[in-house]
Amino acid sequence: MTKLRTLTASLLISTCLTAGAVAQESSPLEAEIVAIDSQIAEVDATIARYDAGLIRMLAESRREALLLLRTVVEARQAAEAAGAMIEITVPAVEPDPERAEQLLGEMAAQQQRVEAAEREAASAGGLIQAVALSRVETEKLTLAQLQMAYLQARYGIAFPVTPTMMNSAPPISDPTSPAAMTQGEEVTETALPWADPDHPDIDYSLAPFEQAHNAGDQISGWWVINEERAAIDDSPSVVAINYSAYDARSFGGLTALLAQCREGDTSVVFVQDDFLISAMRRDSFDINYRIDSNPAQSTRWNELTNNKGAGLFGSASEGFLRGLYDAESFFIRLTDGNGRRYDAEFDLAGIQEAIEAVAGACGWSTLDLSPDDYRAIQTLLNAGGFDAGTPDGVWGNGSRNAMRAFQEQSGLPITGAADRTTLEALGVQVGE
């Protein structure tokens, strides 16, 4: 059973951050609330400008952080007004002064990122400005979460969970209740409209799935697949997110596995809900992972600029995703510069659709094809009247253009890649 520590509102309020600094006991509480309300009004205005999408989701998350700060300040105010002590019971967290000092430095650096992002958004226009605005919200959300991490490390407390942090999906009524039945009817469950029927065991009442459905994204197993066009060059952009490690009670942030294609570049990213301390003079983290029951592997992934995870980029990520294509589970352990370990395990149900979408957008095959394989495919294209040039086993621009022409004529997604569906249309038997 988790050990609990009871903290008075007086102690809690002394840890609140207002305008980037720790609130002082001598500060008027009403002024604290007014300052927080001003920030909430600003984020509410942002939310009101967007019906859906990434910027709105980021702004809503930031709003939750501000509401939590306001709740703690109000608790102290109520205690003073009533002349009584109000107690809030939260899970115990051990103080870590050294980590708190490091986080202060991270907060200062993050504030600079926020200001830089705001300057960039102010000077941009059109689609570029939309991208810049999403960065502003990302940086502000990161700062708010970093403040929470500092409070935990400095004072050894965990924040109480407010109703706004919980799952935002509408509750599913109990099908056995009288309201759900009429006399003589059998008890049946109503499937959520966004649920993937191929995976009935997955809890699709989780908030990310409803949000994905509302945004028009595809849902495959535990994966949400967002397909758009890059603002810079209109190239296909795909972000597939695995939510099997999602925890609605986690305030620090999202723990997820991402496979993505952005502006022609493939990457695999692991994000988690704590702030990572970078290693001195290094920009990568130690990674240990295990696919299904295979032996664990050790490697290094590049750290993310928001200090919330690590990623594998380029051709190495393509090979990595091929290795996950038929897998069912994935365990990952990230070790940061302080030697702290961050573990996560993902159920990969639905991964094949996710990887196919990423590979199609970035123009590579999910099959591990050899030069001889490519030479045979080039020969087939030439025989069909699609000029791939001299069959040499090198999949260059000529081969990609020939494949695109074949795909267009065959009514297939035009990727230029030797993907499974296209190879089957060419008459090539693709093994399981």
Side-chain angles (χ1 to χ4, degrees), residues 224 261 335 353 428:
V224 165
C261 171
T335 305
E353 289 79 1
V428 178

Side-chain angles (χ1 to χ4, degrees), residues 105-177:
E106 296 285 345
M107 289 166 61
Q110 185 59 32
Q111 180 60 43
Q112 293 180 346
R113 295 188 188 102
V114 169
E115 294 169 358
E118 289 176 331
R119 289 194 297 270
E120 179 185 351
S123 62
L127 292 176
I128 300 300
Q129 185 181 52
V131 175
L133 287 171
S134 69
R135 183 192 165 203
V136 170
E137 283 304 318
T138 298
E139 301 295 3
K140 287 183 177 180
L141 174 59
T142 299
L143 180 59
Q145 293 171 338
L146 191 55
Q147 290 172 343
M148 298 297 178
Y150 168 77
L151 296 180
Q152 287 187 339
R154 176 67 179 85
Y155 296 98
I157 66 171
F159 285 89
V161 178
T162 65
T164 58
M165 294 181 211
M166 303 307 292
N167 193 333
S168 62
I172 302 174
S173 60
D174 181 358
T176 63
S177 67

Side-chain angles (χ1 to χ4, degrees), residues 404-426:
R404 290 189 184 100
F406 172 76
Q407 290 168 332
E408 183 177 13
Q409 180 174 300
S410 303
L412 300 172
I414 302 173
T415 65
D419 56 66
R420 296 167 190 256
T421 303
T422 303
L423 292 183
E424 289 174 357
L426 277 169

Side-chain angles (χ1 to χ4, degrees), residues 133-418:
L133 287 171
S134 69
R135 183 192 165 203
V136 170
E137 283 304 318
T138 298
E139 301 295 3
K140 287 183 177 180
L141 174 59
T142 299
L143 180 59
Q145 293 171 338
L146 191 55
Q147 290 172 343
M148 298 297 178
Y150 168 77
L151 296 180
Q152 287 187 339
R154 176 67 179 85
Y155 296 98
I157 66 171
F159 285 89
V161 178
T162 65
T164 58
M165 294 181 211
M166 303 307 292
N167 193 333
S168 62
I172 302 174
S173 60
D174 181 358
T176 63
S177 67
M181 297 185 295
T182 60
Q183 188 172 3
E185 288 185 337
E186 293 184 358
V187 176
T188 59
E189 289 194 30
T190 302
L192 295 169
W194 54 85
D196 183 350
D198 293 334
H199 300 279
D201 55 324
I202 293 177
D203 180 9
Y204 285 110
S205 68
L206 297 177
F209 292 119
E210 182 185 11
Q211 292 167 350
H213 170 74
N214 293 337
D217 296 337
Q218 178 186 350
I219 296 174
S220 176
W222 278 108
W223 297 81
V224 165
I225 305 170
N226 170 263
E227 300 186 41
E228 297 180 346
R229 290 282 173 178
I232 192 69
D233 58 6
D234 290 327
S235 61
S237 175
V238 172
V239 179
I241 306 176
N242 183 294
Y243 283 107
S244 60
Y246 175 79
D247 183 358
R249 298 166 299 176
S250 173
F251 188 76
L254 176 69
T255 295
L257 183 68
L258 285 72
Q260 52 191 0
C261 171
R262 294 180 181 273
E263 297 177 19
D265 293 326
T266 305
S267 61
V268 182
V269 174
F270 167 55
V271 295
Q272 50 71 62
D273 61 1
D274 201 356
F275 286 85
L276 307 174
I277 302 300
S278 303
M280 294 296 292
R281 295 183 296 276
R282 304 186 77 169
D283 59 357
S284 60
F285 293 118
D286 287 323
I287 296 289
N288 297 94
Y289 68 86
R290 189 181 190 191
I291 301 174
D292 291 337
S293 58
N294 296 319
Q297 303 290 320
S298 299
T299 186
R300 292 188 70 84
W301 286 11
N302 293 335
E303 66 176 274
L304 303 182
T305 56
N306 63 1
N307 300 100
K308 297 281 285 185
L312 184 65
F313 301 87
S315 59
S317 65
E318 296 174 12
F320 187 83
L321 288 173
R322 289 190 189 99
L324 289 181
Y325 191 87
D326 293 311
E328 296 180 355
S329 64
F330 177 67
F331 170 85
I332 186 169
R333 169 175 292 165
L334 182 154
T335 305
D336 75 359
N338 270 4
R340 297 167 68 98
R341 292 177 173 178
Y342 301 86
D343 294 354
E345 188 165 4
F346 297 94
D347 182 336
L348 300 181
I351 191 173
Q352 293 184 353
E353 289 79 1
I355 295 179
E356 288 289 354
V358 171
C362 274
W364 51 272
S365 176
T366 59
L367 295 164
D368 189 10
L369 300 173
S370 68
D372 287 340
D373 294 327
Y374 279 119
R375 189 177 295 111
I377 296 168
Q378 291 165 332
T379 300
L380 285 172
L381 287 170
N382 286 336
F386 303 93
D387 186 10
T390 302
D392 57 6
V394 177
W395 199 251
N397 288 332
S399 298
R400 290 190 181 91
N401 290 335
M403 183 63 86
R404 290 189 184 100
F406 172 76
Q407 290 168 332
E408 183 177 13
Q409 180 174 300
S410 303
L412 300 172
I414 302 173
T415 65

